């Protein structure tokens, strides 16, 4: 993607060329080819004109940009873009309504995310993600300053293919998570039936979580070539279905036993399972029930033989796997599923964009020897970077970061082992695991939930296996995967009560999505943790829980000044009284905000490319968040992201605007002679007195007499 300055310069030339506009037909095509050329090379190959669409008659879309999912309705200069005009079928439509009608008739895969209506004087940008919102209106004369609002046109074909692949992985990962939840439900029922109270104990839930984690690894190993034969685990369980409990215990025991310590008289089928190590099967847990027929069917027929776990995304699946926890447990802990798109909003401006640009510059070097030397240095640089997520949940930030870095390393490896014509030359003799520099042991996390901790470790191991397989296929190497390496970097603890520096002595980047819990929703323990993390800052009890991680990160960076941090957080920390309570002391300690995403909706749902989104937790309320990247380095280039816009600014203050670091502190008295407000309209009932729209109809059907007691909630 071009820099802001490059875009502005190109826009300036465009304005000069088209300042004398003509009519729609004679100028539209050259106008849009040149305009798209500001953002993308070879624009004539990336835009379609007069695209046919069938209404009650055949009509034509003026212009359509497939890779950016953008539909253009072009009118002549002077035409009022807000005025309806009679159409050939007698209807009266504004230019936007006309374009929207075309868009509605397109196949789902071609439907536009953006509709641009233009008359050469103005551009009206409609984002169909929010179809009821008013359009962004940009005057032609202001294009130089407003060109960043069109950066969605920069999307490449590779991005589109990546998005399609991600949608497929999302669909498969969600199906896998639902399957695991079915297995979990059956296990809970079996444990409950064997417990006098009728409820599994805390130890039972720990055993269920460990069993699920181990089963998931075996399902993945069965499908991805980790085990000696495809479906090896499933075939063994099917053979020993009569006593499946013991069969599973025997497999787990064998996976944790090195070959030289195994009995030569053991079952040959068991001896065929490789030594796994890595702590995953280290502890022998006999607290496993006898499996009934339904559970056996789910594990053998549905999971091992009926589903391919090798195709899942470890990042997506990790978050969804975590969602098998009781939703109440998830909400009380403040955990949220995080999409890959939202993860990359944080990691790309923090470090990934710079690394990608650096690799592209190296690949452009003509001299092969010089290029190879630089590529090796780049690999070593990637391998030296250390990442730390002190609220890692199921590890999706760490896992996605690992995958992105390994993709860069694979790209570097491919370049090293191909000649100028792109022909594969072969890998160096003796190239093995040591030739890979990015290692999961450079990824650290802290997580309070033991099950999520286990999921995070498993997700990283699966990501490691997937990327080794990709490396093998890319450069015809033969990287071994087993035994797993010991991996103790994910600590199960309360991140606010342990030393980050002792757990992770020198992180280059701190990343993550700390718990979203409002100032009035914390329990006493959480409130005490926050006050301690803030060093008893004045009125710290009025801050959201997430701010504790900001204070802890600031203390960490004082010991490691080169460390950069970026967190997702509730948008309230950049509004009202919290700005003075949080950002004022951080700025005074030397912190500066390097980049920020202004408020956007945190969507805990997965789009399978069908137009429907299925929530990881349907009861979870909508949350509006910001992303703040900050450090002690006071970066010379600071960016504010709003939607698809990226704006270069001179400073980012606590309100996430380009302005000096001021903070409006709370007042004890009103500015004028009005009654003093003690507390505003703030629902702090925990949701117990609020009924959601989707529940209302069902409730009234069951309790019609309650209707008169339910009033509309207005905030």
């Amino acid at each position: 993607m071009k820099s802001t300055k490059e875009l502005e310069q190109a826009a300036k030339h465009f304005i000069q060329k088209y300042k004398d506009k003509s009519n729609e037909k004679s100028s539209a095509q050259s106008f849009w080819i040149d305009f798209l050329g500001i953002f993308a090379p070879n624009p004539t190959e990336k835009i379609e004109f007069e695209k046919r669409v069938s209404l009650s008659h055949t009509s034509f879309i003026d212009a359509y940009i497939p890779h950016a999912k953008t539909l253009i309705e072009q009118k002549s200069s002077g035409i009022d873009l807000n005025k309806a005009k009679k159409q050939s079928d007698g209807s009266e439509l504004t230019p936007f309504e006309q374009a929207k009608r075309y868009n509605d008739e397109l196949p789902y895969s071609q439907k536009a995310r953006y509709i641009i209506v233009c008359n050469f004087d103005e551009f009206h940008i409609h984002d169909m993600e929010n179809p009821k919102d008013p359009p962004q209106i940009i005057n032609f004369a202001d294009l130089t300053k407003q060109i960043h609002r069109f950066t969605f046109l920069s999307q490449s074909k590779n991005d589109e293919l990546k998005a399609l692949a991600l949608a497929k992985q999302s669909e498969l990962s969600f199906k896998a998570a639902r399957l695991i939840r079915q297995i979990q439900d059956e296990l809970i029922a079996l444990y409950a039936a064997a417990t006098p109270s009728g409820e599994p104990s805390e130890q039972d839930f720990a055993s269920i979580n460990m069993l699920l984690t181990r089963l998931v690894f075996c399902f993945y190993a069965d499908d991805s070539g980790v085990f000696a034969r495809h479906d090896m685990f499933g075939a063994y369980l099917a053979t020993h279905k009569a006593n499946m409990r013991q069969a599973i215990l025997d497999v787990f025991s064998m996976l944790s036993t090195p070959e030289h310590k195994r009995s030569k008289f053991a079952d040959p089928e068991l001896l065929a399972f490789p030594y796994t190590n890595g702590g995953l099967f280290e502890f022998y847990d006999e607290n496993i029930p006898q499996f009934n027929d339904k559970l056996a069917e789910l594990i053998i027929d549905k999971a091992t033989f009926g589903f391919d776990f090798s195709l899942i995304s470890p990042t997506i699946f990790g978050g969804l796997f975590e969602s098998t926890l009781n939703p109440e447990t998830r909400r009380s802990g403040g955990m949220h599923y995080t999409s890959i798109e939202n993860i990359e909003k944080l990691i790309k401006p923090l470090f990934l964009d710079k690394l990608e640009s650096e690799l592209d510059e190296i690949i452009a070097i003509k001299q092969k020897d010089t290029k190879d030397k630089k590529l090796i240095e780049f690999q070593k640089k990637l391998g030296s970077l250390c990442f730390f997520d002190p609220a890692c949940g199921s590890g999706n930030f760490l896992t996605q970061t690992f995958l992105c870095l390994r993709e860069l390393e694979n790209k570097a490896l491919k370049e090293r082992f191909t000649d100028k014509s792109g022909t594969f030359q072969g890998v160096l003799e003796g190239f093995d695991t040591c030739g890979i520099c990015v290692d999961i042991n450079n990824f650290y996390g802290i997580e309070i939930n033991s099950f999520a901790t286990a999921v995070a470790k498993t997700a990283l191991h699966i990501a490691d296996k997937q990327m080794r397989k990709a490396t093998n296929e890319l450069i015809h190497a033969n990287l071994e995967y087993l035994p797993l390496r010991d991996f103790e970097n994910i600590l199960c603890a309360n991140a606010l009560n342990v030393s980050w520096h002792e757990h992770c002595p020198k992180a280059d980047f701190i990343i993550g999505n700390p718990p979203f819990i409002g100032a009035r929703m914390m329990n006493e323990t959480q409130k005490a943790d926050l006050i301690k993390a803030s060093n008893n800052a004045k009125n710290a009890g009025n801050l959201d829980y997430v701010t504790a991680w900001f204070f802890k990160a600031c203390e960490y960076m004082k010991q490691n000044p080169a460390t950069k941090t970026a967190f997702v957080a509730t948008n309230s920390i950049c509004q009202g009284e919290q700005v003075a309570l949080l950002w004022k002391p951080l700025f005074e300690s030397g912190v500066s905000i390097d980049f920020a995403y202004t408020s956007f909706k945190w969507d805990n749902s997965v789009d399978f490319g069908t137009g429907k989104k299925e929530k990881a937790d349907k009861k979870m309320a909508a949350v509006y968040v910001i992303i703040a990247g900050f450090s002690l380095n006071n970066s010379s280039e600071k960016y504010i992201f709003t939607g698809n816009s990226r704006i270069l600014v001179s400073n980012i203050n606590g309100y996430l605007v380009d302005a000096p670091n001021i903070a409006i502190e709370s007042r004890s008295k009103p500015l004028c002679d009005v009654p003093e407000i003690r507390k505003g309209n703030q629902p702090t009932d925990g949701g117990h007195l609020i009924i959601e729209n989707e529940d209302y109809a069902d409730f009234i059907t069951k309790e019609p007499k309650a209707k008169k007691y339910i009033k509309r909630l207005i905030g």
Side-chain angles (χ1 to χ4, degrees):
M1 181 174 153
K2 293 180 180 178
S3 68
T4 303
K5 288 183 179 179
E6 289 173 326
L7 290 175
E8 289 175 352
Q9 189 63 31
K12 186 176 180 180
H13 289 309
F14 179 82
I15 291 173
Q16 289 296 318
K17 182 173 181 178
Y18 287 96
K19 61 183 178 181
D20 297 320
K21 311 172 195 71
S22 188
N23 63 58
E24 174 187 356
K25 294 298 180 184
S26 63
S27 299
Q29 294 195 9
S30 61
F31 180 88
W32 280 103
I33 288 171
D34 288 343
F35 188 74
L36 183 57
I38 295 174
F39 306 93
N42 306 316
T44 54
E45 300 173 8
K46 296 177 180 178
I47 188 168
E48 300 177 24
F49 294 104
E50 301 298 319
K51 182 179 176 67
R52 187 184 299 268
V53 61
S54 295
L55 302 174
S56 57
H57 56 286
T58 299
S59 293
F60 298 90
I61 297 170
D62 290 333
Y64 178 75
I65 306 172
H67 74 261
K69 292 289 190 291
T70 299
L71 185 152
I72 297 160
E73 179 64 23
Q74 181 66 45
K75 297 300 180 185
S76 297
S77 179
I79 296 293
D80 186 346
L81 297 180
N82 297 308
K83 186 176 180 180
K85 182 180 178 182
K86 194 169 185 178
Q87 307 296 305
S88 58
D89 61 358
S91 61
E92 292 202 357
L93 301 173
T94 65
F96 168 66
E97 290 169 340
Q98 183 182 349
K100 187 176 181 298
R101 184 165 68 166
Y102 294 155
N103 194 43
D104 290 342
E105 296 305 317
L106 290 175
Y108 177 78
S109 61
Q110 298 178 30
K111 288 188 187 300
R113 162 72 187 273
Y114 298 97
I115 292 177
I116 302 177
V117 180
C118 180
N119 63 0
F120 296 105
D121 302 302
E122 292 180 342
F123 298 81
H124 291 199
I125 306 174
H126 298 261
D127 184 350
M128 302 312 292
E129 188 75 13
N130 303 292
K132 294 182 180 179
D133 287 357
Q136 293 185 64
I137 300 176
I138 294 97
N139 291 321
F140 177 84
D142 296 333
L143 270 179
T144 302
K145 293 181 179 180
Q146 300 294 327
I147 197 66
H148 59 271
R149 300 191 183 279
F150 294 90
T151 51
F152 57 87
L153 297 176
S154 301
Q155 186 180 17
S156 68
K157 186 67 176 176
N158 287 338
D159 291 329
E160 185 180 0
L161 294 173
K162 183 179 178 181
L164 291 172
L166 179 58
K168 184 62 177 176
Q169 277 193 318
S170 299
E171 179 181 5
L172 292 171
S173 300
F174 202 90
K175 287 179 179 178
R178 281 191 300 211
L179 181 55
I180 297 303
R181 176 166 281 185
Q182 287 179 283
I183 294 173
Q184 183 199 42
D185 289 343
E186 286 303 311
L187 284 169
I188 290 173
L190 291 176
Y191 278 88
T195 306
S197 66
E199 291 287 337
S201 67
E202 192 171 321
Q203 179 56 46
D204 288 338
F205 275 110
S207 295
I208 291 170
N209 293 342
M210 181 56 71
L211 175 58
L212 286 170
T213 304
R214 290 173 170 177
L215 284 173
V216 166
F217 180 83
C218 289
F219 297 156
Y220 178 80
D222 236 12
D223 293 327
S224 62
V226 173
F227 292 159
R229 299 186 307 276
H230 185 71
D231 286 338
M232 183 176 171
F233 180 64
Y236 184 81
L237 295 186
T239 304
H240 298 80
K241 193 174 180 179
N243 192 359
M244 197 165 137
R245 173 186 181 275
Q246 189 57 49
I248 286 177
L249 287 171
D250 289 343
V251 172
F252 289 174
S253 177
M254 194 61 68
L255 291 172
S256 67
T257 306
E259 280 82 355
H260 68 277
K261 290 186 177 181
R262 297 178 179 182
S263 170
K264 60 184 177 182
F265 300 109
D267 183 344
E269 288 184 86
L270 281 174
L271 289 172
F273 283 95
Y275 172 49
T276 299
N277 193 21
L280 189 57
F281 298 94
E282 184 177 352
F283 302 104
Y284 188 78
D285 185 1
E286 285 192 333
N287 189 31
I288 295 177
Q290 294 292 346
F291 289 23
N292 59 25
D293 290 342
K294 185 173 182 180
L295 191 53
E297 179 189 2
L298 284 170
I299 292 174
I300 297 173
D301 298 333
K302 298 289 180 65
T304 57
F305 294 142
F307 192 88
D308 188 349
F309 275 79
S310 70
L311 300 176
I312 64 172
S313 160
T315 303
I316 300 169
F317 179 72
L320 294 173
F321 190 13
E322 183 184 324
S323 78
T324 61
L325 289 169
N326 185 296
E328 291 299 326
T329 304
R330 279 169 50 78
R331 273 198 301 280
S332 65
M335 291 182 284
H336 295 252
Y337 165 71
T338 311
S339 70
I340 289 178
E341 179 185 12
N342 283 336
I343 292 170
E344 292 192 348
K345 282 180 180 177
L346 185 149
I347 65 175
K348 284 180 73 65
L350 183 62
F351 59 84
L352 192 58
D353 284 341
K354 292 184 180 68
L355 291 173
E356 289 175 342
S357 297
E358 183 178 346
L359 179 57
D360 287 342
E361 288 176 8
I362 295 171
I363 290 174
I365 295 173
K366 302 297 184 183
Q367 176 60 36
K368 178 67 173 167
D369 291 342
T370 304
K371 181 195 294 187
D372 287 349
K373 182 181 177 181
K374 293 282 188 182
L375 288 168
I376 293 170
E377 290 173 356
F378 180 74
Q379 275 190 262
K380 290 178 179 178
K381 177 180 178 177
L382 293 180
S384 71
L385 297 176
C386 180
F387 300 87
F388 175 35
D389 184 346
C392 69
S394 57
N396 41 19
F397 272 87
L398 294 174
T399 304
Q400 186 60 23
T401 298
F402 172 81
L403 289 170
C404 289
L405 262 64
R406 282 289 283 111
E407 285 174 358
L408 285 177
E409 184 168 30
N410 276 351
K411 188 175 179 180
L413 286 168
K414 182 182 179 182
E415 196 69 23
R416 280 177 59 192
F417 298 122
T418 54
D419 59 22
K420 292 180 180 179
S421 66
T423 304
F424 178 67
Q425 294 177 311
V427 298
L428 299 174
E429 185 177 348
F431 183 91
D432 57 13
T433 305
C434 297
I436 301 299
C437 295
V438 179
D439 192 291
I440 59 173
N441 281 298
N442 274 7
F443 292 77
Y444 290 77
I446 302 176
E447 169 54 40
I448 197 169
N449 183 280
S450 59
F451 180 44
T453 303
V455 172
K457 292 180 180 180
T458 304
L460 277 164
H461 278 306
I462 289 175
D464 193 17
K465 169 65 179 84
Q466 285 187 339
M467 294 314 299
R468 286 174 189 246
K469 182 180 179 183
T471 303
N472 287 341
E473 293 173 350
L474 192 67
I475 62 171
H476 308 288
N478 187 25
L479 302 179
E480 295 295 331
Y481 179 62
L482 293 178
L484 298 177
R485 291 159 294 159
D486 289 331
F487 180 59
E488 299 302 326
N489 293 357
I490 309 296
L491 176 66
C492 183
N494 180 344
L496 302 182
N497 286 333
V498 298
S499 167
W500 291 8
H501 190 266
E502 287 182 11
H503 178 59
C504 179
K506 196 172 182 181
D508 293 282
F509 300 100
I510 299 175
I511 57 179
N513 170 26
F516 299 163
I517 304 175
R520 304 292 178 263
M521 304 301 291
M522 285 182 280
N523 59 37
E524 291 303 316
T525 300
Q526 291 164 339
K527 184 80 74 175
D529 287 343
L530 169 58
I531 292 172
K532 179 182 177 183
S534 70
N535 291 318
N536 296 302
K538 182 181 177 182
N539 294 326
N542 291 329
L543 287 164
D544 287 357
Y545 191 44
V546 70
T547 59
W549 275 259
F550 283 73
F551 286 116
K552 290 276 284 188
C554 182
E555 288 301 312
Y556 185 95
M557 290 189 296
K558 287 179 181 178
Q559 294 179 284
N560 299 278
T563 300
K564 294 178 180 291
T565 301
F567 286 140
V568 181
T570 42
N571 64 357
S572 48
I573 73 167
C574 293
Q575 301 172 356
E577 66 177 335
Q578 293 201 50
V579 174
L581 299 179
L582 171 65
W583 291 107
K584 185 178 178 181
L586 290 188
F587 290 150
E588 289 173 350
S589 67
V591 163
S592 65
I593 301 177
D594 301 324
F595 72 90
Y597 270 85
T598 57
S599 184
F600 64 97
K601 187 176 180 180
W602 193 249
D603 192 356
N604 71 315
S605 57
V606 181
D607 189 342
F608 297 154
T610 62
K612 297 179 180 179
K613 288 192 174 185
E614 190 157 355
K615 287 186 175 293
D617 178 357
K618 294 181 180 179
K619 295 184 178 180
M620 188 180 293
V623 180
Y624 287 84
V625 302
I626 55 90
I627 295 174
F630 55 100
S631 68
L632 299 176
N633 299 308
N634 197 16
S635 173
S636 58
E637 285 194 353
K638 300 175 185 292
Y639 291 96
I640 294 176
F641 297 83
T642 301
N644 289 289
S645 301
R646 185 186 74 162
I647 306 171
L648 179 65
V649 297
S650 58
N651 186 62
I652 304 174
N653 70 14
Y655 299 97
L656 304 188
V657 297
D658 182 8
N661 291 334
I662 60 171
I664 303 171
E665 301 192 45
S666 60
R667 296 180 56 86
S668 58
K669 294 182 179 180
L671 290 171
C672 54
D673 186 20
V674 294
E676 185 176 341
I677 294 177
R678 292 294 182 182
K679 191 169 185 178
N681 181 354
Q682 185 181 36
T684 51
D685 65 305
H688 301 297
L689 300 179
I690 299 171
I691 184 166
E692 304 296 338
N693 286 337
E694 58 266 28
D695 300 325
Y696 177 77
D698 182 56
F699 178 75
I700 292 301
T701 300
K702 294 176 181 177
E703 299 288 345
K705 292 182 179 180
K707 187 173 183 178
K708 64 180 179 179
Y709 299 109
I710 301 174
K711 306 299 180 183
R712 186 178 178 190
L713 176 63
I714 301 174

